[in-house]
């Protein structure tokens, strides 16, 4: 390969697209492919489209190196699954595995073998629109769902299936700490200690890499002053040296160019030298490594060894994906629409993602005998409940509206509809046995560059709820949103509130499945719902502080709280109700069936929790395990999620869930930049229950 051809492999250009500055540039992209000066193309799909462009690269360039096509398939290609935040709410990683497997099959037959997913940015910033794209505020939950997605896209960690049908390369993004942006403002500063970086933001990426994630995408933000796109500590030292990552790191869209705006690079040449010198391997859309790479090599500001390393990493993945064996896709095998099976998977997963936030007097499930039902609100008949980063399918295949879902579930009922007007909604409610109010956010209020400074229900929706409530007729509220919301006083008066998130293509049927009890709600909140924007950041895995609020002394002034706000969140991480009731036992510690509350070095301890369905209906419960290191050389979160299991139980049935705890669950990283993981002796409180506020606990002593 010539130097120019090597540098060309490090370049990714867009085909067309509106995901940021740049837009379509098909002629430039074709020319680069023909000259053999292009490694990858994003925002292209379709068997014919991709084959046409691939033929130019393979049959017209000197070396015929195939192109790698990438696309944002975040929660579906043709079949849109619930947004990732909703998937995390299922506390069932199989939900995300199914999304990934269906998406990979659809994507691969459309000529694309690489998705820029899963996003695993831990965040407790509900103002940040991209909270919709990840798995919420907990590192462990993000890690579990990231692994499920990576394996669903790629197959086993050894990469043996990556070249096969139905498999695509994953991309762990955004590396790293993007979810920590100050003020929740997208692309904003992240100033984070080494210990928080390693204990909070890095764990999902380590798990994804261990699961074989083929690629990583750099984040737009700075990490303690050094932009992630030029950060040798994160990209080279941690990712490649410490973790042994042998895939490649792709920039985010114009992320190399943005090093200039960051005030980190003087010009394009500087940006290319700094980013690739820090461990970046491929430049998305901006073209500085191609434009300036030769001069940088001649000037010794970039080494040929670094370039060869990046080229090797990229070619290695192209080989693994089978591109050299067969660079084209079979146009006759192209999946062109959601299949019935894919829709069924989307419907089932969407229902599993929903969280019953409130249900007074068993307002839900709705009686199948309801003679008249009103479905009202701005999203009652919306056919766009895909949420942010819907794939090509979101633009082509409308989602099932909640109005249509209710009509299909209650064919004998008179189902009326009213939109966003409070008076019309109240009139409809007045004439119905029960009203379903559908409020929330349109998809555009979630996702990239969609930051809200006020995260209440958008304008007029609380008035609509009030107008319906004033009729005195029964009603329930369904939320369709992509972030935690500040829930107004209406929440405490509502008979029932169902968090449906943005449920995807089968939204209406999935919501109706829950509303009528065909499916019992079993989801839990993967993010805290604050009482007010002024309370942010508020998250469950916080430090205690030296002056925590003592519930036994609520009037104590000199504690860490607000004068004008009750303490604690509106709804905690892990919260979620069902249509039945459960009892859970105290956590029991033991080893080999022997009660054991001590852990010696290198040992594991089993934590057993017994759950019983004490109600009249079958239902799901999520048993959650949390630990708290009571005294450590670095102040620890008051609770850390270290295990969870969603169980389904018939009335009266009982099951014992067992978790294994070891040093890796109890230890923590220190502020040592070289990476020191400590497991300190002493007392750990072990909590188990059905939310992060579960009181049941026992004590474990690490010897
Ligand atoms: C966007 C996003 C990134 C996405 C990329 C390609 O700006 O930050 O998540 O994968 O560009 O569309």
């Amino acid at each position: 390969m010539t130097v120019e051809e090597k540098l060309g492999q490090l370049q990714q250009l867009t085909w067309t697209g509106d995901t940021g500055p740049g837009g379509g540039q098909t002629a430039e992209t074709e020319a680069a492919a023909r000259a053999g000066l292009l490694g990858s193309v994003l925002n292209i799909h379709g068997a014919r489209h991709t084959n046409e462009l691939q033929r130019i690269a393979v049959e017209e360039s000197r070396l015929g190196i195939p192109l790698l096509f990438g696309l944002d398939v975040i929660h579906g290609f043709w079949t849109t699954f619930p947004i990732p935040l909703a998937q995390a709410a299922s506390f069932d990683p199989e939900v995300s595995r199914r999304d990934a497997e269906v998406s990979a099959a659809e994507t691969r037959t459309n000529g694309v073998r690489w998705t820029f997913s899963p996003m695993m940015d831990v965040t407790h910033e509900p103002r940040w629109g991209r909270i919709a794209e990840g798995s919420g505020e907990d590192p462990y939950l993000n890690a579990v769902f990231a692994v499920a997605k990576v394996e669903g896209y790629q197959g086993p960690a050894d990469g043996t299936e990556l070249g096969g049908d139905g498999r695509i390369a994953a991309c762990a993004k955004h590396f790293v700490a993007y979810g920590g942006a100050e003020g929740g403002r997208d692309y904003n500063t992240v100033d984070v200690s080494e210990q928080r970086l390693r204990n909070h933001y890095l764990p999902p990426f380590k798990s994804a890499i261990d699961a074989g994630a083929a690629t990583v995408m750099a984040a737009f933000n700075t990490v303690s002053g050094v932009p992630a796109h030029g950060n040798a500590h994160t990209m080279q030292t941690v990712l490649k040296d410490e973790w042994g990552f042998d895939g490649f790191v792709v920039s985010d869209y114009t992320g190399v160019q943005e090093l200039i705006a960051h005030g980190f690079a003087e010009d394009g040449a500087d940006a290319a030298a700094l980013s690739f010198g820090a461990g970046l391997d491929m430049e998305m859309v901006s073209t500085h490594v191609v434009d300036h790479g030769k001069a940088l090599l001649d000037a010794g500001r970039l080494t040929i060894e670094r370039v060869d390393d990046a080229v090797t990493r990229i070619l290695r993945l192209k080989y693994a994906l089978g591109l050299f064996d067969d660079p084209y896709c079979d146009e006759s095998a192209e999946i062109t629409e959601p299949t019935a099976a894919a829709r069924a998977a989307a419907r089932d997963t969407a229902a599993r993602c929903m969280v019953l936030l409130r249900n007074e007097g068993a307002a839900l499930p709705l009686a199948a005998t309801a003679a008249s039902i009103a479905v009202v609100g701005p999203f009652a008949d919306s056919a766009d409940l895909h949420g942010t980063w819907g794939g090509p399918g979101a633009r082509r295949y409308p989602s099932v509206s909640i109005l249509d879902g209710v009509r299909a579930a209650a064919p004998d009922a008179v189902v009326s509809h009213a939109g966003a007007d409070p008076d019309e909604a109240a009139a409809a409610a007045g004439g119905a046995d029960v009203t379903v109010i559908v409020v929330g956010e349109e998809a555009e209020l979630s996702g990239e560059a969609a930051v809200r400074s006020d995260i209440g229900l958008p304008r007029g929706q609380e008035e609509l709820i009030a107008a319906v409530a004033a009729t005195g007729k029964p009603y329930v509220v369904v939320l369709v949103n992509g972030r935690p919301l500040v829930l107004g006083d209406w929440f405490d008066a509502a008979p029932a509130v169902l968090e449906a998130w943005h449920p995807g293509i089968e939204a209406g049927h999935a919501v109706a499945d829950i509303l009528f009890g065909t499916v019992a709600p079993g989801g839990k909140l993967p993010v805290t719902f604050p009482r007010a924007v002024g309370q942010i950041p508020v998250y469950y895995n916080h430090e205690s502080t030296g002056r925590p609020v003592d519930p036994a002394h609520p009037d104590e002034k000199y504690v860490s709280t607000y004068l004008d706000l009750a303490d604690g969140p509106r709804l905690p991480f892990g919260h979620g109700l069902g249509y039945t009731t459960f009892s859970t036992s105290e956590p029991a510690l033991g080893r080999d069936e022997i009660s054991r509350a001590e852990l010696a070095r290198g040992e594991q301890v089993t934590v057993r929790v017994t759950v019983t369905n004490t109600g009249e209906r079958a239902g799901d419960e999520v048993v959650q395990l949390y630990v708290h290191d009571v005294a450590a050389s670095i102040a620890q979160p008051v609770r850390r999620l270290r295990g969870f299991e969603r169980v389904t139980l018939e009335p009266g049935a009982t099951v014992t869930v067992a978790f294994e705890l070891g040093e890796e669950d109890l230890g923590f990283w220190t502020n040592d930049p070289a990476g020191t993981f400590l497991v300190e002796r002493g007392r750990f409180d072990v909590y188990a229950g059905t939310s992060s506020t579960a009181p049941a606990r026992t004590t474990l002593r690490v010897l």
Side-chain angles (χ1 to χ4, degrees), residues 237-386:
T237 305
V238 174
L239 179 65
K240 292 182 175 180
D241 297 347
E242 266 185 50
W243 295 355
F245 176 59
D246 63 1
F248 69 83
V249 183
V250 63
S251 82
D252 202 335
Y253 204 102
T254 66
V256 172
Q257 165 76 20
E258 291 169 21
L259 291 179
I260 301 169
H262 273 295
F264 187 72
E266 285 192 28
D267 52 29
D270 207 17
L274 290 166
S275 53
F276 283 83
L280 192 77
D281 299 302
M282 181 181 279
E283 180 172 4
M284 183 189 286
V285 175
S286 57
T287 59
H288 296 303
V289 75
V290 162
D291 295 346
H292 306 288
K294 182 82 172 56
L296 291 170
L297 287 164
D298 294 346
R301 292 178 62 195
L302 197 58
T303 66
I304 193 61
E305 290 75 19
R306 179 70 272 277
V307 169
D308 286 347
D309 173 48
V311 172
T312 302
R313 290 169 180 268
I314 292 164
L315 295 183
R316 186 186 293 134
L317 179 58
K318 291 185 175 183
Y319 272 104
L321 284 166
L323 280 168
F324 282 95
D325 298 327
D326 182 2
Y328 306 112
C329 71
D330 175 357
E331 294 179 29
S332 68
E334 185 180 43
I335 297 173
T336 57
E337 62 180 3
T339 63
R343 279 184 172 271
R347 174 172 178 168
D348 174 49
T349 52
R352 284 183 75 76
C353 297
M354 294 180 190
V355 184
L356 184 60
L357 302 180
R358 181 181 169 81
N359 192 24
E360 298 300 302
L364 285 177
L366 299 178
T369 55
S372 58
I373 303 170
V375 183
V376 305
F379 300 98
D381 63 344
S382 169
D384 180 15
L385 296 175
H386 301 282

Side-chain angles (χ1 to χ4, degrees), residues 19 42 72 116 130 173-174 217 220 252-253 284 389 448:
T19 56
L42 79 149
D72 292 289
F116 305 127
R130 303 197 78 164
K173 73 183 187 182
H174 304 80
M217 182 182 290
F220 283 125
D252 202 335
Y253 204 102
M284 183 189 286
W389 288 109
E448 184 172 355

Side-chain angles (χ1 to χ4, degrees), residues 46-68:
R48 185 170 57 79
H49 258 15
T50 54
N51 280 343
E52 284 169 355
L53 184 55
Q54 191 68 283
R55 260 188 210 96
I56 292 173
V58 171
E59 298 172 20
E60 298 186 36
S61 74
R62 186 177 81 90
L63 295 176
I65 298 175
L67 297 169
L68 174 58

Side-chain angles (χ1 to χ4, degrees), residues 43-215:
N43 290 334
I44 185 171
H45 61 81
R48 185 170 57 79
H49 258 15
T50 54
N51 280 343
E52 284 169 355
L53 184 55
Q54 191 68 283
R55 260 188 210 96
I56 292 173
V58 171
E59 298 172 20
E60 298 186 36
S61 74
R62 186 177 81 90
L63 295 176
I65 298 175
L67 297 169
L68 174 58
F69 296 126
L71 185 69
D72 292 289
V73 184
I74 309 302
H75 53 109
F77 183 86
W78 292 135
T79 309
T80 311
F81 283 76
I83 56 172
L85 186 63
Q87 294 187 23
S90 71
F91 278 71
D92 174 9
E94 289 313 300
V95 159
S96 286
R97 188 186 304 277
R98 288 174 79 184
D99 164 1
E101 288 173 347
V102 171
S103 298
E106 293 178 353
T107 303
R108 178 121 186 180
T109 65
N110 275 266
V112 175
R113 300 194 197 190
W114 180 27
T115 177
F116 305 127
S117 174
M119 188 269 220
M120 53 196 77
D121 299 316
V122 175
T123 189
H124 44 244
E125 248 302 347
R127 292 170 291 185
W128 189 46
R130 303 197 78 164
I131 196 170
E133 290 176 59
S135 298
E137 70 192 39
D138 180 78
Y140 179 83
L141 192 66
N142 269 276
V144 168
F145 276 81
V147 168
K149 272 280 178 74
V150 168
E151 293 176 346
Y153 290 135
Q154 298 190 167
D158 61 11
T160 50
E161 292 184 16
L162 203 48
D165 292 343
R167 294 303 187 190
I168 55 178
C171 183
K173 73 183 187 182
H174 304 80
F175 198 70
V176 63
Y178 188 20
E182 288 180 354
R185 269 209 330 277
D186 213 342
Y187 319 117
N188 203 9
T189 300
V190 176
D191 198 52
V192 65
S193 63
E194 187 72 18
Q195 69 92 3
R196 182 153 287 213
L197 185 68
R198 288 180 178 270
N199 291 309
H200 203 71
Y201 294 107
L202 283 171
F205 288 92
K206 179 63 168 59
S207 298
I209 299 312
D210 290 348
T215 67

